[in-house]
Amino acid sequence: MNLPRERLLTIRHRYLPVLKRLDALFGEMDRSYTAVAGQYGFACNGCADNCCLTRFYHHTLLEYLYLVEGLRSLDSDGRHAVFEKALTVSAAMNDADRQGRTLRIMCPLNRNDRCSLYPYRPMICRLHGIPHELHQSGGNPVKNPGCDSFFDQCRQHGQTNYIRFDRTPFYRHMAMLEKALRRETGYAHKIKFTIAQMLATFTDRTYEID
Ligand code: SF4
């Protein structure tokens, strides 16, 4: 499924206010995450099990268009490098899928262990790592442990008690903003994209997004 990139970019003025609200929400997520991670004494310093090697799917138009804003912040050489990498990663994933292989491959935005569009990274990249809970209406709360690196560090610090980190309000707020964005853009299709696939939607190699 292709995103109607050209059409979306022509109505940028209409959806920018929604992205501004997303910006504020991401700021809240980052502050909450940092506060709880700090209480554990956990710091994400990069590790062998790097989560940028994990194939995460992203499901919102919000995250796609926010990433596009990130691309606008790069110069044309920077964009070119990102798109080329994304096409390579995307093709490798497609090959692996066709052959039924599991493939752990670095996100095309990761350069020298740093995210090259860090302020524009999607939600899961902001929330991954520390234990969390999620409350679904009518169901029991789902609790998830942190990543392996979290366990190693917290064992070292002797901090093993759960510190409450509830993702529910963030997910709800995202859903509300996604609804507002869909209303503004008229875009109704489901989305399921990796970062590489999102970036690879710019496949005409003109790299013009202004
Ligand atoms: S967007 Fe950035 S933080 Fe997220 S997986 Fe890619 S490189 Fe890592």
Side-chain angles (χ1 to χ4, degrees), residues 43-56:
C44 176
N45 299 320
C47 60
D49 193 33
N50 193 326
C51 49
C52 302
L53 284 163
T54 306
R55 190 191 296 202
F56 286 120

Side-chain angles (χ1 to χ4, degrees), residues 25 29 60 62-63 123-124 127-128 132-136 144 165-178:
L25 173 60
M29 279 183 203
T60 67
L62 282 170
E63 289 161 299
M123 180 174 73
I124 194 62
L127 299 180
H128 187 75
H132 68 271
E133 61 192 74
L134 195 56
H135 298 257
Q136 290 149 329
N144 280 289
F165 187 65
D166 185 2
R167 287 186 182 180
T168 320
F170 299 133
Y171 283 23
R172 288 205 181 122
H173 201 152
M174 282 291 282
M176 196 188 78
L177 290 183
E178 179 72 2

Side-chain angles (χ1 to χ4, degrees), residues 76-132:
S76 67
D77 285 352
R79 276 184 217 166
H80 182 90
V82 161
F83 290 137
E84 290 298 326
K85 197 82 195 289
L87 289 175
T88 307
V89 171
S90 214
M93 282 177 180
N94 290 342
D95 279 350
D97 288 352
R98 267 194 300 272
Q99 294 160 15
R101 281 187 292 116
T102 304
L103 176 71
R104 274 172 70 74
I105 189 166
M106 192 53 89
C107 170
L109 290 180
N110 186 302
R111 193 152 316 148
N112 304 322
D113 282 336
R114 298 229 163 257
C115 177
S116 51
L117 286 181
Y118 189 76
Y120 300 93
R121 69 201 188 286
M123 180 174 73
I124 194 62
C125 304
R126 294 165 193 269
L127 299 180
H128 187 75
I130 59 173
H132 68 271

Side-chain angles (χ1 to χ4, degrees), residues 6 13 28 128 137 174:
E6 284 77 12
H13 61 286
E28 248 179 73
H128 187 75
S137 52
M174 282 291 282

